[in-house]
Amino acid sequence: MSGHSKWNNIQGRKNAQDAKRGKIFQKLSREIYMAAKSGGPDPDSNPQLRLMVDKARAANMPKDNIKRAIDKSTGADGANYEEITYEGYGPAGIAILVHTLTDNRNRTASAVRADFTRNSGNLGESGSVSFMFDRRGYIAIDREDLDVDEDQMFEDVINAGAEDLQTSDDVFEIYTDPKDFAEVRDELQKKYELDTAELTMIPQTYVPVPEDKVEQLERLIDRLEDEDDVSEVYHSGEFPDA
């Protein structure tokens, strides 16, 4: 990683995400269901389910909702979902990955294509932008009121098994190999409060979004995230500082 910062984009979109909390719970329920369906209902023996449950807890999803999603996975009448990733370009040529979880691929493909077309984007072929992203574990620790310097954090991060640390005035950003993410997260949680901890897709290069394209790109991302079948939207845009 060289100079990439995910923090700016996270902070810029937090309020919008908070406003969609009910829809987020709905999507998390499906992800929990899928993880439990494929690997079993016990988080202790199903690492993917454990990650999804942790993600749900971080979003303050009620315990009863989590339990219902897991319980549903053991029933014979559960829906058959599949994971599909769509790739394309938004305004100013910003690369976009759209991860979906759907029980009707025709419905989902039609909705995603329409969102791109109506919001100054272009849906591409499979593989058209995915090579520009790397799967990584990402952890952010807010530096406000944190009396830890970069040298100490670097030592703790390396000892925890992470790959990289990036430091700014506001935040420590930690990147891990996906297979080491849970272990690194758990180790750092013993000493620090984690503001963000997730498995994500990190663009190899962030592209500054021109001022006149910010609204268009935000609108496209909002429309995609509003789709019931969309789980995650990743992009290579670096929004201007607010």
Side-chain angles (χ1 to χ4, degrees), residues 29-170:
S29 291
R30 272 201 253 176
E31 292 180 357
I32 291 169
Y33 165 86
M34 277 288 289
K37 187 85 169 176
S38 61
D42 183 3
D44 291 334
S45 59
N46 183 344
Q48 182 62 24
L49 177 58
R50 181 187 171 199
L51 284 175
M52 291 302 100
V53 169
D54 288 346
K55 182 178 178 181
R57 288 172 176 164
N60 296 317
M61 185 174 176
K63 290 181 180 179
D64 287 347
N65 294 40
I66 296 173
K67 185 177 185 300
R68 278 198 299 271
I70 295 175
D71 289 345
K72 183 180 177 182
S73 71
T74 63
D77 58 347
N80 293 315
Y81 292 107
E82 59 179 326
E83 295 177 280
I84 304 173
T85 298
Y86 298 92
E87 308 178 30
Y89 289 93
I94 301 301
I96 299 176
L97 288 179
V98 185
H99 286 186
T100 68
L101 190 59
T102 179
D103 59 353
N104 186 326
R105 64 163 55 217
N106 290 333
R107 176 192 67 218
T108 305
S110 177
V112 170
R113 183 179 297 107
D115 288 335
F116 271 93
T117 301
R118 294 170 183 169
N119 295 282
S120 306
N122 295 288
L123 187 63
E125 298 294 328
S126 177
S128 59
V129 304
S130 58
F131 68 94
M132 303 179 188
F133 293 78
D134 295 317
R135 185 73 165 165
R136 288 288 184 268
Y138 175 81
I139 298 168
I141 300 175
D142 196 332
R143 296 191 69 178
E144 186 176 0
D145 300 324
L146 184 65
D147 187 20
V148 176
D149 62 23
E150 184 175 0
D151 290 340
Q152 181 61 58
M153 180 59 71
F154 181 77
E155 181 179 342
D156 291 341
V157 163
I158 295 304
N159 288 338
E163 291 184 330
D164 189 30
L165 169 69
Q166 292 182 21
T167 305
S168 68
D169 292 340
D170 299 323

Side-chain angles (χ1 to χ4, degrees), residues 204-216:
Q204 296 167 2
T205 302
Y206 280 98
V207 179
V209 182
E211 292 281 357
D212 63 342
K213 300 296 184 182
V214 168
E215 186 176 346
Q216 288 182 346

